[in-house]
Amino acid sequence: MIQELPAARRRRLWLVPLAGGALVMVAVASQRVGPLAPVVLQVAAPERLVLRPGLVGIGRVEARRTHQLSSVLSARLVSLKVDTGDRVRKGDLLGQLDPVDLPERLLAAQAALQASHQQSVAAAAQWRESQATLAYTRSNTARFERLAAQGAVSDDALLERRQTLAQTKAGVATTAALHQAARSTEQQAGAALAALEAQRQSLRLVAPADGLVIRRLVDPGSTVLPGEPVLEIADPSQFWVDVRFDQRQAAGLAAGQPATVEFRRLQGHRLAAVVERIEPTADSLTEELNAKVRLEPGSLDAVGLSPSLGELTEVRVALPAAAHALAVPAQSLRRHGSSLGVWLVGDDGLIFAPLQLGRHDSEGRVEVLGGLETAAQVVQHPPADAANLRRYRLQKSSQEKRTP
């Protein structure tokens, strides 16, 4: 006689295989997801392509040429008709300075010029008088020479006339020197007066060229010292970008190469530009190279942008293309010890290969100059601890390779 099992016991017997199956499923799943799962590594072979390298740098807008308006003497700023951001035309009166003692110095210079002129006139009259005396003395001496030859006068009388002629000639030379000195003094006084007149004209702040007022440094009522700038004017059409590039990527950079400039205010709008020059100095601390990039004429007007000095920009320069270049993605590069390279898939695990690198392109690829074979399997996104990685799963396209 068969004895039936209680219903509760039958249910427990069914749960045993179900629990075993669940444990198997958990064990299998833990091999694919979770902390026990192997790390998935994307691998790919390096590419052989036409590399179009490009430089990317951060630049700052600067004025190529500026004009500083200042005073040449101590004065008080009476009025200022412009402010920062105003546009001015060449010859516009922008401000007026009030001198401290210039009117008194002008009066003194005018009086000195008049006195020196009178002295010059007096010296000229004395010189002409001495010339007339010389002519009379020379004629009288010549007459005594003829009389002495006829024996009509004594030798002493002739000697006296000759001495008088010599003294008269010396007097003419003296008056001529005094006349020349008086004329030099008059010229000096005239130059001093002209200098003061020029200083008075410098009290008028006049725009030297068309441009934009970029700085207003003094307010009306303030005292301005000699050489202290009051206004600074720049031509917006002459703005350029001072940009810094990584020295390791700047091979091939030269003046005249096309570039694009993107302002932070115009995200997505790249303005045409050209490399104006490469600066002869570089930064040894940041290992950067300086260059000047000039915007093409009309590029700012096309977008209605008036740049501000010091505004940050992103500059891209297209370098000459390299044919049949071997390249790897930049995200695959890692530093191991003191070397920069990539992790490769070997027969016994991951192997680090130090590389000799070249230029970068705008797609994030880096030129490989040495240290890598074309058939190598490069790990695309290696983890930071790739050297200690033991369990991983390689993935390339739709194929996978597992480590035990």
Side-chain angles (χ1 to χ4, degrees):
M1 181 175 181
I2 300 174
Q3 184 178 3
E4 295 185 358
L5 296 175
R9 187 175 180 182
R10 289 200 304 270
R11 285 195 299 270
R12 287 195 296 269
L13 292 177
W14 279 103
L15 290 175
V16 172
L18 290 176
L23 290 176
V24 172
M25 293 177 63
V26 170
V28 173
S30 66
Q31 299 299 314
R32 290 186 172 272
V33 295
L36 299 180
V39 178
V40 178
L41 299 178
Q42 298 282 342
V43 295
E47 298 179 89
R48 199 52 101 158
L49 44 76
V50 178
L51 187 72
R52 292 179 172 82
L55 283 176
V56 180
I58 300 300
R60 188 166 57 95
V61 177
E62 292 183 350
R64 185 170 186 174
R65 295 183 181 90
T66 60
H67 304 275
Q68 286 189 346
L69 303 184
S70 60
S71 174
V72 296
L73 69 162
S74 296
R76 184 175 60 87
L77 183 62
V78 179
S79 63
L80 204 56
K81 301 180 180 180
V82 294
D83 205 344
T84 303
D86 292 344
R87 289 185 175 270
V88 297
R89 305 278 299 178
K90 181 179 180 179
D92 288 349
L93 180 61
L94 309 181
Q96 184 71 41
L97 294 165
D98 181 26
V100 178
D101 58 348
L102 184 59
E104 291 76 10
R105 288 194 289 161
L106 279 171
L107 291 175
Q110 291 172 354
L113 178 60
Q114 185 177 3
S116 62
H117 176 69
Q118 293 174 353
Q119 291 175 358
S120 178
V121 170
Q126 291 177 356
W127 177 62
R128 288 191 297 269
E129 181 183 0
S130 64
Q131 284 182 323
T133 303
L134 176 62
Y136 171 76
T137 305
R138 183 180 286 119
S139 175
N140 196 17
T141 303
R143 185 171 62 84
F144 267 75
E145 292 284 353
R146 291 192 300 270
L147 293 175
Q150 298 174 1
V153 295
S154 64
D155 293 339
D156 292 339
L158 179 60
L159 183 60
E160 182 180 354
R161 296 301 176 186
R162 288 176 177 175
Q163 184 177 4
T164 302
L165 178 61
Q167 292 175 349
T168 305
K169 289 182 178 180
V172 170
T174 301
T175 55
L178 292 175
H179 180 218
Q180 185 62 38
R183 291 183 58 186
S184 299
T185 303
E186 183 181 8
Q187 293 175 355
Q188 183 180 3
L193 179 60
L196 291 177
E197 290 287 352
Q199 289 183 0
R200 184 170 65 176
Q201 291 298 323
S202 70
L203 297 174
R204 301 173 69 251
L205 301 178
V206 179
D210 297 348
L212 180 73
V213 179
I214 59 175
R215 288 200 301 170
R216 172 174 161 165
L217 304 172
V218 182
D219 291 326
S222 302
T223 299
V224 181
L225 300 178
E228 181 181 359
V230 178
L231 293 172
E232 188 172 2
I233 300 174
D235 186 358
S237 63
Q238 297 294 323
F239 283 0
W240 60 8
V241 179
D242 178 66
V243 60
R244 291 170 170 260
F245 295 114
D246 190 343
Q247 296 178 14
R248 292 169 295 184
Q249 303 177 17
L253 181 65
Q257 291 176 336
T260 59
V261 177
E262 181 179 356
F263 287 82
R264 299 293 177 93
R265 290 183 284 168
L266 297 174
Q267 294 292 332
H269 291 78
R270 297 195 173 275
L271 307 182
V274 63
V275 179
E276 183 74 11
R277 73 174 186 228
I278 310 300
E279 295 293 349
T281 57
D283 195 329
S284 60
L285 295 179
T286 60
E287 298 183 357
E288 291 176 325
L289 188 72
N290 287 67
K292 302 293 187 183
V293 175
R294 171 177 52 84
L295 292 169
E296 293 290 356
S299 58
L300 292 174
D301 297 335
V303 295
L305 178 65
S306 178
S308 302
L309 293 180
E311 186 172 358
L312 293 181
T313 63
E314 182 181 86
V315 180
R316 295 178 180 268
V317 180
L319 300 178
H324 306 292
L326 187 66
V328 295
Q331 63 267 21
S332 64
L333 298 176
R334 291 292 184 271
R335 185 169 294 279
H336 185 60
S338 60
S339 302
L340 185 64
V342 295
W343 287 94
L344 307 178
V345 178
D347 295 335
D348 298 330
L350 300 182
I351 303 173
F352 181 78
L355 301 181
Q356 182 182 357
L357 302 176
R359 295 171 292 179
H360 296 232
D361 69 356
S362 58
E363 302 297 328
R365 293 182 289 249
V366 185
E367 182 183 13
V368 178
L369 302 178
L372 187 64
E373 300 292 336
T374 56
Q377 294 297 307
V378 180
V379 180
Q380 300 297 296
H381 301 276
D385 58 345
N388 300 321
L389 191 62
R390 294 294 178 264
R391 300 183 68 248
Y392 54 86
R393 186 171 73 249
L394 302 179
Q395 181 176 353
K396 180 181 179 181
S397 299
S398 58
Q399 300 177 356
E400 294 187 359
K401 177 182 176 181
R402 295 170 180 259
T403 58

